[in-house]
Amino acid sequence: MIKISNLSKSFSGQTVLNHLNLDIQKGEVVALIGSSGAGKSTFLRSLNYLETPDSGTIQIDNFKVDFSQISQEEILALRRKLSMVFQQFNLFERRTALDNVKEGLVVVKKLSDEEATKIAKKELAKVGLSDRENHYPRHLSGGQKQRVALARALAMKPDVLLLDEPTSALDPELVGEVEKSIADAAKSGQTMILVSHDMSFVAQVADKVLFLDKGKIIESGTPDEIINHPKEERTKEFFASYKRTYI
Ligand SMILES: Nc1ncnc2c1ncn2[C@@H]1O[C@H](COP(=O)(O)OP(=O)(O)OP(=O)(O)O)[C@@H](O)[C@H]1O
Ligand SMILES: [Mg+2]
């Protein structure tokens, strides 16, 4: 079980995360939605300390850290437990797909080359890229690059996978292959927090949806409750403008 309590963050006086609380069960897929600037990326980035929260705690099973007094060791331990997939893939351009997936296994988990290779090949196979192991990112499509990034994150066996708009930089025809790989990981029991503007994917994959507005969770519930029957005025407005933009 993952428990996030009282998470706050401001940037030069502007409150971006306002005392957020969230409990996540093992195997649960939580989708975080909200307008641009609501604080979704800041939330994910704060969890693995890519941003420095002003206050708050995160507990993952028996491991608990207080962000206001986190040590270097705890930061490393936290990053081993949380893997992130970014909108822009963030692959090492000078390494093959296989080496990109192996990197964390060798450097962070200190596995032997042989063990790391075995795991990396297995993870690339799961996202359908066995035939691209030796390709460099520049020779991969956006969808393939994002599946390598997903394989790299999953290879670390994270307690929670953090996905920040993983398909929004892709050409529309490449979205499906990445969504399928994410849905496969969800089916296999991977706990995740997904930030997405793609409501049909959110409805398909999420167990719980949170609507974030100005750094606060305004409303949470099942995808059907939040997407089809929002109760709060702000959530209703969000979907009204969402429909004008996307549908
Ligand atoms: N490094 C930073 N320095 C200053 N302000 C920042 C920084 N990062 C984010 N912000 C501000 O914090 C707020 C929340 O940004 P964030 O990127 O978390 O929003 P978001 O919900 O992910 O939006 P989007 O849907 O556009 O990705 C915004 O007002 C943004 O300008
Ligand atoms: Mg964002």
Side-chain angles (χ1 to χ4, degrees):
M1 156 105 156
I2 295 100
K3 193 171 184 63
I4 298 156
S5 306
N6 206 26
L7 189 68
S8 289
K9 169 75 182 165
S10 51
F11 289 110
S12 38
Q14 179 205 358
T15 302
V16 174
L17 302 177
N18 196 348
H19 301 284
L20 287 183
N21 296 302
L22 174 61
D23 289 354
I24 306 170
Q25 307 301 321
K26 251 199 183 81
E28 199 170 29
V29 176
V30 174
L32 190 60
I33 62 169
S35 307
S36 182
K40 305 180 299 296
S41 296
T42 305
F43 177 71
L44 289 192
R45 292 168 59 79
S46 291
L47 295 184
N48 65 359
Y49 213 68
L50 290 175
E51 300 291 352
T52 54
D54 301 327
S55 69
T57 59
I58 181 168
Q59 181 168 358
I60 303 170
D61 298 326
N62 296 323
F63 172 82
K64 183 172 179 181
V65 291
D66 180 340
F67 284 115
S68 62
Q69 47 188 41
I70 192 167
S71 69
Q72 204 56 40
E73 262 168 50
E74 286 174 326
I75 294 172
L76 294 177
L78 188 63
R79 289 187 183 156
R80 257 177 249 138
K81 291 173 186 292
L82 306 171
S83 295
M84 186 136 167
V85 171
F86 301 87
Q87 190 174 0
Q88 295 293 346
F89 328 129
N90 293 19
L91 296 178
F92 297 108
E93 290 297 325
R94 289 168 182 277
R95 302 210 179 127
T96 62
L98 187 68
D99 285 343
N100 263 283
V101 181
K102 277 170 66 178
E103 172 79 14
L105 298 169
V106 173
V107 175
V108 179
K109 291 215 165 170
K110 315 277 183 217
L111 298 186
S112 68
D113 190 73
E114 193 184 342
E115 284 171 304
T117 303
K118 200 169 132 200
I119 295 170
K121 281 177 177 254
K122 202 172 93 193
E123 293 299 332
L124 281 172
K126 280 196 212 161
V127 297
L129 289 177
S130 290
D131 59 346
R132 294 290 184 276
E133 284 173 4
N134 297 315
H135 283 54
Y136 287 88
R138 66 180 174 279
H139 295 143
L140 296 171
S141 71
Q144 290 168 339
K145 279 192 267 206
Q146 194 58 306
R147 284 185 283 150
V148 173
L150 184 66
R152 177 176 64 176
L154 291 171
M156 300 301 282
K157 298 265 170 288
D159 290 86
V160 187
L161 177 69
L162 308 174
L163 300 153
D164 194 358
E165 303 199 29
T167 61
S168 57
L170 300 176
D171 290 338
E173 73 270 22
L174 302 177
V175 168
E177 63 189 56
V178 174
E179 288 186 343
K180 179 180 181 303
S181 294
I182 295 169
D184 286 347
K187 267 185 227 133
S188 75
Q190 175 65 53
T191 311
M192 42 179 110
I193 307 178
L194 166 73
V195 169
S196 180
H197 282 113
D198 182 341
M199 293 307 149
S200 60
F201 185 54
V202 165
Q204 178 202 329
V205 81
D207 299 302
K208 186 158 127 191
V209 179
L210 311 174
F211 176 69
L212 189 74
D213 187 53
K214 300 198 184 88
K216 269 189 181 301
I217 295 166
I218 305 271
E219 191 167 356
S220 69
T222 63
D224 183 52
E225 283 165 350
I226 302 299
I227 299 172
N228 301 323
H229 309 283
K231 290 194 181 74
E232 298 294 330
E233 229 22 71
R234 263 308 285 131
T235 323
K236 289 179 189 168
E237 279 168 26
F238 169 79
F239 282 108
S241 96
Y242 175 84
K243 281 178 189 141
R244 280 197 299 276
T245 311
Y246 294 98
I247 298 170

